[in-house]
């Protein structure tokens, strides 16, 4: 049965809470950020829980110290703060140090993209994919629903090393159902739809937008592929290349500044390195920082990543791609 | 401490001082002045019976954890670690050279170093996490030590850790401040004054002692006493030291950090006896 949507953090923390009962190595550290399930962890495992206060730099350094002593650490805070307030601690105490000493520190950042809708740019987070992917030994995982967020625990417990888990602050519709099967962490991505010359490749909340864009265009008789990228570093590259083969174009969709090194850069890099015959359209936040108010959908439309705007630009992209194909079929050079 | 033991520590300290000058003579890229102020602190910790360590197994669980947060100011650790057998003495001849392990700023690829150092302000928080872990996992009597400079305490992250450590009563945490009163561009009192550092740390709930950091006998006694105190408070030893100690032109010079003495001066100094 398809699960009801719930908060990603609670789905993940609940699995952590269950694992703590039989794994004494698990330690949870928070920077004064809570959740109902975190209350249970605090109550049931006070010896393996600590709140460092509003102090993200110390959150990371303390986590590094705990992990040096053998703990598997989950450090929990709001996404922009756990990635940016303490970026040099991430680099030095986790990134650099974990190349020499085994460290298992898992950052749980809540509030990807625009998920703190009314809080404005301080609490929204459009830079984390770029920044966290820039640290070479970090893994970056980004979930579109709570089922995926909960599944991330397996990776955290099975593999040492620093990881960033990028969670939405809002409960999002469930995309992993008995029909789709569980998200396959070893693959790192999931193909939700196949068909048409173009695939929409999305991460986090934007997967839901991609599905809506695909629905809208399917009604127009234009089928599209839809792929969820939930592992932004360690996805099965060969399997993804296989999925992309035969396509004419790819549309990347992320709640991140466009052309600033996010998932779009990842795909540009892959297309260039593999010399793929793919046209690419990048859907990302345009126009820099803004202080506008509105619903998440309204904010998305304002910065160029809303379903309506993206549907129109994908339509233009499809025309370009099919024109390209027609030209090739006619034997004309580009 | 017997007079013989005290003499032994003093002669070790002088030997380390000379070896440090020799390393700088061979590798002028190293920061010399900030490596001359903490010599007696290191000698007290390693030769004075304060730290528990095992050169054959540097990460043995029974060891005391010692995080040297002021990385560049610890070139003087190289002769000590070589002397104790953490690595081959030959390494001292290729400091900052390709194929060597001893850089201008020590990295944890060096046996005996616990963490990444040199980017200032991280060691105290990591040591606090280590001390918390030792307490929570009911370790034996291992303790965490961390050396910072006084200039390093300008980093706000240090004060996050200072608050955290007293709140959690981390009495396995021992902070040693190499209080040489000089950062890179000036004396710290002229940059941003730390005021009465002992009173500030005490007001944050720390157990604080001040010592003459060049009196190796007193420093050893103070470190041993600090380690022995387990009274529900983190502990700090403020070692009053002199940056560039023993080198004319560096001692008490505001810009000592970035000055490199002339080779002939170093050669002459290395001939001196204690």
């Amino acid at each position: 049965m398809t699960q009801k949507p719930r908060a990603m953090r609670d789905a993940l923390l609940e699995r952590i809470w269950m694992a703590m009962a039989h794994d004494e190595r698990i330690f949870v550290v928070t920077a004064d950020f809570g959740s109902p399930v975190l209350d249970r962890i605090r109550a049931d495992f006070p010896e393996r829980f600590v709140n460092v206060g509003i102090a993200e730099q110390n959150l990371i350094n303390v986590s590094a110290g705990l992990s040096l002593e053998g703990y598997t650490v989950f450090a929990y805070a709001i996404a922009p703060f756990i990635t940016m307030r303490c970026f040099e601690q991430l680099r030095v105490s986790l990134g650099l140090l974990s190349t020499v000493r085994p460290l298992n520190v898992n950052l749980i950042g809540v509030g990807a993209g625009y998920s703190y809708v009314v809080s404005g740019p301080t609490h929204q987070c459009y830079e984390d994919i770029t920044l966290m992917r820039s640290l070479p030994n970090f893994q970056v995982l980004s979930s579109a629903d709570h089922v995926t967020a909960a599944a991330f625990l397996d990776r955290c417990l099975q593999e040492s090393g620093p990881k960033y888990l990028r969670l939405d602050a809002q409960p999002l519709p469930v995309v992993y159902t008995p029909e789709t099967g569980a998200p396959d962490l070893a693959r790192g991505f999931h193909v939700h739809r196949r068909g048409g010359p173009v695939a929409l490749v999305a991460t986090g909340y934007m997967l839901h937008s991609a599905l809506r864009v695909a629905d809208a265009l399917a009604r127009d008789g234009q089928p599209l592929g839809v792929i969820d990228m939930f592992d932004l570093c360690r996805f099965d590259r060969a399997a993804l290349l296989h999925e992309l083969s035969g396509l004419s174009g790819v549309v990347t969709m992320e709640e991140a500044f466009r052309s600033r090194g996010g998932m779009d850069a990842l795909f540009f890099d892959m297309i260039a390195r593999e010399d793929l015959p793919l046209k690419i359209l990048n859907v990302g936040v345009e126009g820099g920082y803004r202080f506008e108010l509105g619903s998440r959908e309204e904010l998305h439309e304002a910065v160029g990543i809303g379903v309506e705007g993206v549907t129109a630009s994908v339509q233009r992209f499809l025309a370009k791609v099919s024109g390209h194909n027609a030209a090739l079929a006619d034997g004309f050079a580009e | 401490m017997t007079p013989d033991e005290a003499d032994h520590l003093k002669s070790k300290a002088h030997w380390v001082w000379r070896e440090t000058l020799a390393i700088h003579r061979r590798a002028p890229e190293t920061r010399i002045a900030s490596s001359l102020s903490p010599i007696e602190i290191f000698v007290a910790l390693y030769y004075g019976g304060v730290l528990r360590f095992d050169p054959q197994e540097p990460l043995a669980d029974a060891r005391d954890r010692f995080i040297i947060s002021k990385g560049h100011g610890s070139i003087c650790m190289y002769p000590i670690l070589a002397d104790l057998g953490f690595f081959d003495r030959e390494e001292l001849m290729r400091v900052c050279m390709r194929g060597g392990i001893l850089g201008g700023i020590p990295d944890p690829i060096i046996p005996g170093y616990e963490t990444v150092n040199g980017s200032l302000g991280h060691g105290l928080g990591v040591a606090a996490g280590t001390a918390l872990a030792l307490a929570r996992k009911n370790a034996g009597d291992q303790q965490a030590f961390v050396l910072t400079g006084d200039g390093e305490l300008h980093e706000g992250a240090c004060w996050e850790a200072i608050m955290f450590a007293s709140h959690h009563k981390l009495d396995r945490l021992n902070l040693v401040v190499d209080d040489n009163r000089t950062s890179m561009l000036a004396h710290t009192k002229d940059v941003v004054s730390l005021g009465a550092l002992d009173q500030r740390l005490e007001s944050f709930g720390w157990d604080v002692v001040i010592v003459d950091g060049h009196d190796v006998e007193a420093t050893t006694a103070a470190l041993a006493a600090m380690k022995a105190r387990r009274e529900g408070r983190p502990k700090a030893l403020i070692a009053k030291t002199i940056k560039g100690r023993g080198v004319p032109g560096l001692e008490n010079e505001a810009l000592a950090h970035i000055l490199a003495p002339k080779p002939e001066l170093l050669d002459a100094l290395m001939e001196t006896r204690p």
Side-chain angles (χ1 to χ4, degrees):
Chain A
M1 205 180 82
T2 302
Q3 299 181 38
K4 282 198 296 190
R6 63 183 299 215
M8 292 182 185
R9 59 185 182 190
D10 282 333
L12 175 60
L13 287 169
E14 193 165 81
R15 285 200 69 202
I16 294 171
W17 172 74
M18 289 191 285
M20 288 178 88
H22 57 82
D23 185 348
E24 294 195 340
R25 304 272 79 189
I26 299 175
F27 208 114
V28 174
V29 191
T30 177
D32 205 40
F33 183 59
S35 106
V37 182
L38 197 73
D39 293 340
R40 265 191 270 160
I41 290 174
R42 175 167 42 193
D44 293 347
F45 307 105
E47 288 302 305
R48 285 179 286 136
F49 172 86
V50 76
N51 179 359
V52 300
I54 306 165
E56 289 78 12
Q57 299 178 75
N58 204 38
L59 174 80
I60 301 308
N61 283 338
V62 165
S63 296
L66 289 166
S67 191
L68 282 173
E69 292 300 321
Y71 283 111
T72 295
V73 180
F74 291 88
Y76 179 66
I78 296 179
F81 309 146
I82 202 171
T83 54
M84 289 178 261
R85 182 54 173 256
C86 49
F87 192 72
E88 212 234 355
Q89 279 76 14
L90 300 178
R91 178 176 182 267
V92 170
S93 298
L94 300 185
L96 281 168
L97 189 53
S98 69
T99 62
V100 184
R101 303 274 310 267
L103 284 181
N104 192 355
V105 177
N106 304 283
L107 313 175
I108 305 173
V110 177
Y114 285 85
S115 53
Y116 285 115
V117 179
V118 299
S119 301
T122 55
H123 286 58
Q124 293 162 359
C125 193
Y126 348 83
E127 305 91 341
D128 55 338
I129 296 175
T130 301
L131 289 169
M132 300 311 290
R133 271 181 40 81
S134 77
L135 298 170
N137 47 355
F138 269 70
Q139 297 187 39
V140 179
L141 300 158
S142 167
S143 47
D145 71 2
H146 77 268
V147 179
T148 314
F152 290 160
L153 182 75
D154 297 329
R155 177 71 63 81
C156 300
L157 297 184
Q158 283 158 12
E159 280 186 38
S160 191
K163 305 172 204 78
Y164 171 53
L165 280 48
R166 175 181 187 267
L167 308 190
D168 209 277
Q170 311 296 332
L172 299 182
V174 173
V175 287
Y176 291 94
T177 64
E179 288 74 48
T180 64
D184 181 353
L185 286 192
R187 235 166 122 76
F189 67 92
H190 185 93
V191 180
H192 286 275
R193 300 208 186 147
R194 286 198 177 86
V198 165
L200 310 178
V201 185
T203 193
Y205 179 94
M206 293 305 285
L207 177 70
H208 303 279
S209 304
L211 290 168
R212 288 170 62 192
V213 170
D215 283 344
L217 290 174
R219 285 195 289 274
D220 277 358
Q222 301 183 88
L224 290 166
V226 177
I227 299 175
D228 176 15
M229 289 293 295
F230 49 82
D231 183 336
L232 294 171
C233 293
R234 294 260 307 271
F235 56 88
D236 181 339
R237 196 176 172 93
L240 184 61
L241 287 170
H242 180 73
E243 286 298 335
L244 299 178
S245 66
L247 294 178
S248 303
V250 62
V251 180
T252 63
M253 295 176 64
E254 59 194 312
E255 277 184 302
F257 289 125
R258 193 173 70 83
S259 301
R260 292 279 170 179
M263 189 174 74
D264 50 6
L266 190 166
F267 276 82
F268 270 118
D269 177 71
M270 196 155 51
I271 287 169
R273 277 203 211 203
E274 309 290 342
D275 202 19
L276 301 178
L278 284 178
K279 290 207 168 289
I280 185 165
L281 171 70
N282 303 123
V283 173
V285 177
E286 310 222 31
Y289 294 111
R290 300 191 191 208
F291 294 95
E292 288 173 37
L293 292 173
S295 67
R296 195 166 189 177
E297 289 72 19
E298 288 166 331
L299 294 177
H300 276 197
E301 293 298 346
V303 299
I305 64 172
V307 170
E308 210 173 299
V310 174
T311 303
S313 48
V314 170
Q315 233 160 353
R316 288 192 295 274
F317 182 66
L318 280 167
K320 189 166 135 190
V321 165
S322 57
H324 174 67
N325 285 347
L328 286 179
D330 290 349
F332 291 107
E334 265 280 271
Chain B
M1 192 180 300
T2 67
D4 278 357
E5 286 166 341
D7 284 347
H8 174 68
L9 291 178
K10 283 178 200 158
S11 69
K12 274 292 180 195
H14 188 72
W15 172 78
V16 172
W17 180 80
R18 273 192 292 133
E19 286 294 313
T20 305
L21 296 184
I23 289 171
H24 182 68
R25 174 79 169 82
R26 290 192 294 272
E29 312 93 311
T30 52
R31 296 293 191 201
I32 183 70
S34 55
S35 289
L36 296 175
S37 52
I39 286 175
E40 285 81 2
I41 297 168
F42 289 129
V43 167
L45 287 166
Y46 281 91
Y47 296 100
V50 178
L51 278 187
R52 192 188 302 143
F53 58 87
D54 179 359
Q56 303 310 312
E57 199 186 335
L59 297 176
D61 189 51
R63 77 191 187 284
D64 290 315
R65 281 64 164 160
F66 181 28
I67 290 171
I68 300 162
S69 196
K70 51 165 283 177
H72 14 17
S74 68
I75 302 307
C76 54
M77 274 286 285
Y78 294 170
I80 294 174
L81 293 174
D83 183 45
L84 293 170
F86 280 88
F87 48 78
D88 198 294
R89 278 170 186 265
E90 282 302 304
E91 286 294 340
L92 298 177
M93 303 309 290
R94 40 183 193 163
V95 173
C96 295
M97 287 167 61
R98 176 130 191 98
I101 59 169
L102 306 175
I105 295 176
D107 286 314
I109 57 166
I110 303 169
Y113 273 89
E114 296 270 351
T115 61
V116 179
N117 320 285
S119 173
L120 299 174
H122 297 308
L124 186 48
V126 176
T130 302
L132 179 71
L134 291 172
R136 293 286 177 93
K137 69 183 184 182
N138 290 314
D141 57 355
Q142 303 96 315
Q143 296 198 32
F145 284 74
V146 55
L147 177 76
T148 71
D150 60 313
E152 178 174 358
L153 296 178
H154 286 151
E155 290 283 3
C158 294
W159 296 91
E160 293 183 7
I162 286 165
M163 283 188 279
F164 176 85
S166 55
H167 179 85
H168 290 284
K169 304 181 168 56
L170 298 181
D171 59 10
R172 293 176 192 250
L173 180 62
N174 302 272
L175 163 65
V176 184
V177 181
D178 176 14
D179 188 13
N180 63 29
R181 289 160 278 189
T182 316
S183 54
M184 190 150 80
L185 287 188
H187 297 301
T188 46
K189 70 174 171 55
D190 300 321
V191 181
V192 171
S193 174
L194 290 157
L197 181 59
D198 56 331
Q199 290 171 25
R200 289 192 176 182
L201 287 171
E202 277 167 4
S203 77
F204 276 77
W206 283 56
D207 165 340
V208 188
V209 171
I210 298 176
V211 72
D212 172 355
H214 293 302
D215 179 338
V216 71
E217 207 177 334
T219 301
T220 305
L223 286 166
M226 172 164 76
K227 189 180 183 187
R229 285 196 302 279
R230 294 282 302 277
E231 296 164 357
R233 282 194 296 168
K235 301 158 284 183
L237 181 68
I238 300 172
K240 295 287 184 189
T241 58
I242 297 165
K243 194 155 174 167
R245 183 162 185 265
V247 178
L250 291 186
E251 271 198 12
N252 291 320
E253 160 59 48
L255 288 172
H257 190 77
I258 49 177
L259 294 175
K262 288 197 166 59
E264 38 286 17
L265 173 61
L266 291 170
D267 289 338
L269 287 169
M270 281 188 279
E271 294 303 312
T272 59
R273 290 280 167 269

